[in-house]
Amino acid sequence: MADIKGFLKYERELPSRRPVPVRLRDWKEVYEEFPEDHLQKQAARCMDCGIPFCNDGCPLGNLIPDWNDLVYRDRWRDAIERLHATNNFPEFTGRLCPAPCEGACVLGINQDPVTIKQVEVEIIDRAFEEGWVTPVLPSTKTGKKVAVVGSGPAGLAAAQQLTRAGHDVVVFERADRIGGLLRYGIPEFKMEKRHIDRRLDQMAAEGTEFRTNANVGVDVPVEDLRRDFDAIVLAGGATQWRDLPIPGREGDGVHQAMEYLPWANKAQQGDLAVDEVPINAAGKNVVIIGGGDTGADCLGTAHRQGAASVHQFEIMPRPPEERPDANPWPTYPMVYKVTSAHEEGGDRVYSVNTEEFVRDGDGNLVGLKAHEVEMVDGRFQKVEGSDFQLECELVLLAMGFTGPESGGLLDHLDVDRDERSNVARDAVYKTNLDDVWVCGDMGRGQSLIVWAIAEGRACAAAVDEALMGETALPVPVAPTDRPLV
Ligand SMILES: Cc1cc2nc3c(=O)[nH]c(=O)nc-3n(C[C@H](O)[C@H](O)[C@H](O)COP(=O)(O)OP(=O)(O)OC[C@H]3O[C@@H](n4cnc5c(N)ncnc54)[C@H](O)[C@@H]3O)c2cc1C
Ligand code: SF4
């Protein structure tokens, strides 16, 4: 245990965010450096619990008390080994995870939990800086070939594990760059894309092959994959967005979040100038429909583009400040959160339903009509007399995703779908086809990066075992496991 009185001596502390007016002038990550002695005090708050609920709360089963202790003792190289033992990409989760581990931390019963995520990201950033993240080469080659379809966190985790097990792995990605939603969904200010690139360098050096602009089922026939590879891992995500088919929906000015965010990310990659993006919030009154994290990503992006005003609508009521009785420790706390994007401005409007997009005689979007709602017997009902109209020239729909896209790949591959339209799989990630497995959002539905990595790792172990009769790869979770998230 790091310091037996650490949790009594030190308060929870996180790095400061850069001042809002400064960070809105660029697209860089928002956090300042966190001094090492401050981080070590945070690690010292860990009680090294006999039953570490943090470890159960993490879908990857991260060995959190171990690396808290190692950081406190200045044993950073050992810490990254413990971290990499369960997580291929801590630089992604350390920046982007909602940290169910912290929600489950025992300290959270009557104090603020340990800053687990901050310790995680500092360990991996230091490891990259020190040159400790080097290719891990397989000791033998198996001669087996595996195709991974999709290069989000699930596909990348599966590919890295399978390459390290000695298989020849090719990742097929329909986009022009590797990374999935990490690359084109999540904005630069939440995670700079250089973090993906340096990890891809490691993977390429290990032997994973990447093919971009390769849409399987469209440019690359599914039959070719089934003929040329011993196993196929589907990791195509759950990218079918939910729409809002109300009057005025058709026409310019109303766009899906995932039509909007990729352009801002492409501009940050140097493909076009920031002011050349085809969907641009500059000078516009913007309404984001959807109060979740994707909506917050649109909010931060709109402010950086120079929106005149931004409202973020949410149909659900405002969450409570503290855990309600029905949401006790160690379940994931569903409480009111202020993300960095919310701190930057905009109005958050709760319990509101949009019923019409208003257009002028030329078809231009000029506003929307909405009203308040309340929950009655488990259903939303309009609050009579609460109608209002709001001026806006850009609406962004951030209402979630309903499952994997149909067409192309799934039309040509005769895989079963489950009742939620995800690709059905058994306890070892296998579809109804003998040579096809599925992991990440494509099998699970819209979820989290940490789950995508956990499933990619477990799916790799299942594929390796099927190909070789045994596996030495670790198996973090089965798809039917439900931890405390
Ligand atoms: C805007 C946004 C922000 C988010 N922010 C967070 C966050 O902060 N933290 C968090 O934990 N989660 C976040 N999520 C959720 C998280 O990104 C996903 O759960 C995660 O990326 C799923 O990983 P995946 O590998 O299963 O799929 P994806 O990341 O969706 O990757 C799937 C890839 O497959 C490719 N593909 C699909 N079909 C084919 C085909 N036929 N041929 C070739 N390639 C194909 C797609 O182009 C895509 O690149 C966010 C989601 C969105 C939309
Ligand atoms: S639950 Fe919290 S205090 Fe206990 S071991 Fe995990 S991080 Fe440390």
Side-chain angles (χ1 to χ4, degrees), residues 212-458:
T212 51
N213 298 307
N215 192 345
V216 177
V218 179
D219 322 308
V220 182
V222 170
E223 301 73 40
D224 288 7
L225 253 55
R226 296 196 74 186
R227 185 192 59 221
D228 297 341
F229 291 87
D230 298 291
I232 299 172
V233 174
L234 303 179
T239 45
Q240 185 60 60
W241 49 59
R242 189 171 282 116
D243 212 332
L244 189 59
I246 56 175
R249 168 69 180 88
E250 295 308 316
D252 207 17
V254 182
H255 301 278
Q256 286 285 347
M258 277 308 293
E259 293 175 315
Y260 170 68
L261 294 170
W263 285 111
N265 276 318
K266 280 177 179 288
Q268 291 312 306
Q269 303 269 264
D271 292 353
L272 69 173
V274 170
D275 56 4
E276 282 173 1
V277 294
I279 309 173
N280 195 337
K284 293 183 182 150
N285 297 299
V286 180
V287 177
I288 299 161
I289 300 185
D293 287 344
T294 302
D297 291 347
C298 294
L299 178 67
T301 302
H303 278 133
R304 279 164 183 74
Q305 289 175 339
S309 73
V310 191
H311 286 80
Q312 188 179 8
F313 282 12
E314 169 57 53
I315 196 165
M316 298 296 290
R318 189 185 194 273
E321 300 280 340
E322 301 286 338
R323 284 176 182 273
D325 289 346
N327 177 208
W329 173 89
T331 56
Y332 186 72
M334 309 295 278
V335 293
Y336 183 72
K337 292 192 189 91
V338 180
T339 68
S340 70
H342 292 121
E343 208 180 56
E344 291 160 4
D347 290 320
R348 299 166 83 172
V349 188
Y350 289 94
S351 300
V352 66
N353 181 41
T354 307
E355 57 187 357
E356 184 180 339
F357 298 118
V358 183
R359 294 184 179 277
D360 66 13
D362 297 325
N364 300 313
L365 181 75
V366 292
L368 56 73
K369 290 181 182 170
H371 56 252
E372 289 171 28
V373 290
E374 61 187 350
M375 192 75 88
V376 179
D377 297 331
R379 298 176 73 96
F380 288 114
Q381 270 190 16
K382 178 174 178 176
V383 176
E384 290 307 329
S386 66
D387 303 78
F388 66 96
Q389 190 159 333
L390 189 66
E391 189 187 326
C392 60
E393 298 83 42
L394 177 64
V395 168
L396 300 169
L397 303 177
M399 302 166 53
F401 299 85
T402 55
E405 282 170 47
S406 294
L409 172 66
L410 293 184
D411 279 2
H412 289 93
L413 198 59
D414 203 13
V415 284
D416 291 343
R417 312 278 280 265
D418 66 17
E419 67 285 353
R420 294 187 303 144
S421 88
N422 302 316
V423 175
R425 71 267 181 89
D426 64 13
V428 287
Y429 298 86
K430 188 116 174 292
T431 68
N432 53 307
L433 302 179
D434 267 355
D435 54 344
V436 182
W437 283 256
V438 63
C439 60
D441 282 7
M442 194 169 225
R444 181 180 184 80
Q446 179 193 9
S447 184
L448 295 174
I449 292 160
V450 67
W451 268 112
I453 300 172
E455 287 207 7
R457 288 169 63 83

Side-chain angles (χ1 to χ4, degrees), residues 45-49 51-55 64-65 68 104-107 114 116:
R45 294 184 70 235
C46 174
M47 303 185 292
D48 195 5
C49 303
I51 299 175
F53 277 72
C54 55
N55 170 267
I64 293 159
N68 279 336
C105 172
V106 176
L107 209 50
V114 174
I116 299 169

Side-chain angles (χ1 to χ4, degrees), residues 92-108:
F92 306 157
T93 45
R95 288 183 166 76
L96 300 167
C97 192
C101 55
E102 293 189 10
C105 172
V106 176
L107 209 50

